[in-house]
Amino acid sequence: MIKAIRGTRDLLPPDTDLWNFVETRVREVFQRYNFHEIRTPVFEATELFARGVGEDTDIVSKEMFTWEDKARAQSEKSQSLTLRPENTAGVVRAYIEHDLGRSGQLQKLYYIGPQFRRERPQKGRYRQFYQIGAEVIGPPTAGSELPIRDAEVIEMLVALLDAVGLKGWTLHLNSVGCASDRSVYNKALREALAKVKDKMCADCQRRAETNPIRVLDCKVPEDQPIIDALPKISQYLDEGCRLHFGEVKAILDTMGIPYQVNERMVRGLDYYTRTTFEFTHGDLGAQSAVLGGGRYDGLSESLGGPKAPGIGFAIGEDRTVLALQAQQAAASVPVNAYIAPLGTGMNRHALKLAHELRKAGLVIDIGDESFRMRKAFEAAEKMGAPYVIIIGENEVKADAFAVKDIRSGEQVTVPRAELSQKLSSK
Ligand code: HAM
């Protein structure tokens, strides 16, 4: 028996109805905010993620599905390829490759699709998972750096979660400063860690040397008081970063969007500058981050592109659906009627009627002329159809059909022209 690979899963009905509901709703919101869809390949050159996301991150150093793609012809070179662990690097690559900045306008892009990380699978954490993401990127002259962009993206997130009906989230907000702030902060952290790291976990001892800011991600309980006493990033922001963050918070305050400043939230990707954020949800257990994002003002340049500041986010769609299910959300569209053809030669009439009713916007299912009535009724009941429409020779002749209300058992004859109205009444 061949099974789905660990960390991957089949999405089945009725869950897929909820997935589609989420995707339909977010597309409507993206449209209202003037975002347009981008679809980038599922695999890219490994180097894109190494340079974009950062060699030192968990994602690049241990979670990527990477393989050596052998040359198939003399004209080709073998190259290292990777299934995308996230989509921001791919979007910025596409921005550079297609010179999307040439219009001088902001690019407001969104994507929905699978991402791949070789993490330890558990509830809410998969090796193939899905993200709904968006990126706002463009030349500085288009205003891509301005705090209003950050605030608009966060406000849109609130609208997105609202549109899918997700309640009870918490917005964690931080500013990680710009590259120069971070090198000063890293130095301060390294110095402070030198005095205390011996008392910390093995991971922290390693991070204290390689990437001290990652120490802030540590979840080991004994390390928490030590980490809480370390220098804070806010003390190292330069004037520009401090004003920028202040303005983002001021706009959110005016809009009445609640947030918590969380100075330990540094995010697991190296491209972030200035504003970073995460939304968590209480129903998700250990994997509580339902989405994450932030600003990445230097990413385009680090990939060899023009100066193109940007900000974006990715919502974990798997976790969103889990949280909605915990709220008992269901998104199944009810079946309006089940058509039961009765006797030889009736299938064609039944299918013709089904076609007409579906065209009128109704959800219709259909049996087969060989089914006994009892079987047709059982099927209709199981799928929750309120009516069974019976089509036999007499009905075809009269061009009027027997419509049986499953609940009351009442049966009436309805002319073809009145059928769709009768069925939509329930
Ligand atoms: P991220 O925080 O790595 O950010 O991922 C965003 C969200 O994807 C997480 O909050 C989580 O909901 C979901 N997610 C991540 N890994 C898994 C997994 N193994 N299983 C299930 N869900 C997962 C990014 O990917 C950035 N590219 C976001 C961004 C866009 N920043 C700027 N623009």
Side-chain angles (χ1 to χ4, degrees):
M1 168 61 192
I2 301 173
K3 291 193 171 159
I5 303 299
R6 192 168 123 84
T8 73
R9 55 202 188 122
D10 301 307
L11 302 173
L12 304 172
D15 293 358
T16 41
D17 289 338
L18 196 50
W19 283 74
N20 281 319
F21 164 82
V22 168
E23 290 172 16
T24 305
R25 283 303 172 84
V26 299
R27 283 180 197 277
E28 288 162 5
V29 175
F30 283 134
Q31 197 168 35
R32 286 208 294 278
Y33 283 76
N34 197 25
F35 278 67
H36 299 274
E37 187 172 8
I38 181 168
R39 299 189 190 193
T40 65
V42 162
F43 57 89
E44 301 262 6
T46 303
E47 194 193 351
L48 173 68
F49 304 113
R51 273 164 61 185
V53 175
E55 211 94 60
D56 257 359
T57 59
D58 280 357
I59 295 179
V60 172
S61 66
K62 46 189 183 203
E63 295 170 2
M64 296 206 301
F65 288 97
T66 296
W67 71 100
E68 196 58 29
D69 201 53
K70 289 201 203 82
R72 294 195 54 183
Q74 291 229 305
S75 57
E76 285 178 2
K77 272 201 229 135
S78 90
Q79 62 174 331
S80 177
L81 301 180
T82 292
L83 288 180
R84 62 182 186 198
E86 61 99 55
N87 218 159
T88 308
V91 168
V92 176
R93 180 207 38 76
Y95 175 91
I96 299 167
E97 188 169 333
H98 305 286
D99 193 14
L100 296 182
R102 71 180 176 277
S103 67
Q105 300 298 305
L106 283 180
Q107 298 294 311
K108 298 168 84 174
L109 306 166
Y110 80 87
Y111 47 83
I112 300 177
Q115 318 292 334
F116 306 85
R117 295 183 194 174
R118 239 179 61 223
E119 297 193 79
R120 199 168 45 75
Q122 64 180 86
K123 188 175 175 220
R125 189 160 73 191
Y126 311 99
R127 291 184 167 184
Q128 173 171 340
F129 61 99
Y130 294 80
Q131 285 186 340
I132 299 169
E135 313 292 347
V136 181
I137 178 170
T141 48
S144 52
E145 257 170 326
L146 303 178
I148 186 169
R149 300 278 75 88
D150 308 45
E152 188 189 18
V153 156
I154 293 172
E155 191 272 327
M156 177 169 76
L157 271 167
V158 174
L160 286 165
L161 299 183
D162 227 33
V164 303
L166 190 71
K167 299 182 188 75
W169 45 262
T170 306
L171 161 56
H172 304 263
L173 194 64
N174 194 16
S175 173
V176 294
C178 44
S180 58
D181 302 334
R182 262 221 305 292
S183 73
V184 187
Y185 180 52
N186 263 325
K187 188 160 168 277
L189 269 184
R190 211 171 251 130
E191 279 165 16
L193 281 166
K195 296 180 205 132
V196 290
K197 68 172 194 234
D198 294 346
K199 299 187 214 103
M200 302 182 82
C201 70
D203 271 345
C204 281
Q205 298 198 13
R206 184 175 46 78
R207 292 173 185 142
E209 303 294 334
T210 57
N211 199 350
I213 212 162
R214 292 269 150 261
V215 167
L216 307 185
D217 282 341
C218 173
K219 303 274 183 317
V220 175
E222 295 76 32
D223 288 359
Q224 300 312 307
I226 306 178
I227 296 169
D228 286 336
L230 290 171
K232 302 272 186 291
I233 181 84
S234 59
Q235 300 158 345
Y236 294 84
L237 298 184
D238 68 16
E239 177 78 357
C241 291
R242 215 179 2 253
L243 287 174
H244 193 280
F245 193 39
E247 179 63 12
V248 173
K249 287 186 289 185
I251 303 177
L252 295 180
D253 290 339
T254 306
M255 305 217 40
I257 296 173
Y259 57 85
Q260 290 175 7
V261 173
N262 178 351
E263 293 207 48
R264 279 188 52 181
M265 196 200 54
V266 289
R267 313 266 303 123
L269 305 93
D270 278 352
Y271 49 60
Y272 289 115
T273 54
R274 296 190 162 173
T275 312
T276 55
F277 52 84
E278 268 178 22
F279 282 55
T280 55
H281 197 278
D283 289 338
L284 287 172
Q287 303 306 315
S288 65
V290 69
L291 68 92
R295 181 166 273 292
Y296 44 87
D297 290 345
L299 180 55
S300 169
E301 286 146 294
S302 72
L303 296 175
K307 192 166 166 57
I311 179 160
F313 62 80
I315 302 174
E317 194 175 354
D318 307 72
R319 294 184 192 173
T320 304
V321 168
L322 278 174
L324 287 174
Q325 284 167 335
Q327 278 177 211
Q328 317 247 300
S332 299
V333 180
V335 179
N336 295 103
Y338 183 88
I339 298 182
L342 204 64
T344 316
M346 289 302 118
N347 270 352
R348 67 191 83 163
H349 301 290
L351 208 52
K352 184 159 173 270
L353 182 68
H355 170 80
E356 288 167 14
L357 295 172
R358 286 166 176 160
K359 215 167 159 189
L362 296 167
V363 181
I364 302 294
D365 214 323
I366 188 166
D368 183 85
E369 59 194 27
S370 67
F371 291 1
R372 289 170 187 280
M373 268 322 258
R374 191 148 145 224
K375 181 163 171 176
F377 275 94
E378 274 171 13
E381 215 166 343
K382 264 198 184 143
M383 68 184 66
Y387 296 110
V388 173
I389 306 173
I390 300 158
I391 304 193
E393 260 174 51
N394 293 340
E395 281 79 11
V396 172
K397 265 195 216 125
D399 209 26
F401 305 93
V403 177
K404 187 155 184 145
D405 185 320
I406 293 197
R407 210 136 341 109
S408 67
E410 186 197 5
Q411 184 167 321
V412 288
T413 302
V414 183
R416 184 187 293 266
E418 289 165 28
L419 251 185
S420 68
Q421 204 191 347
K422 163 86 182 160
L423 300 179
S424 14
S425 65
K426 246 191 205 172

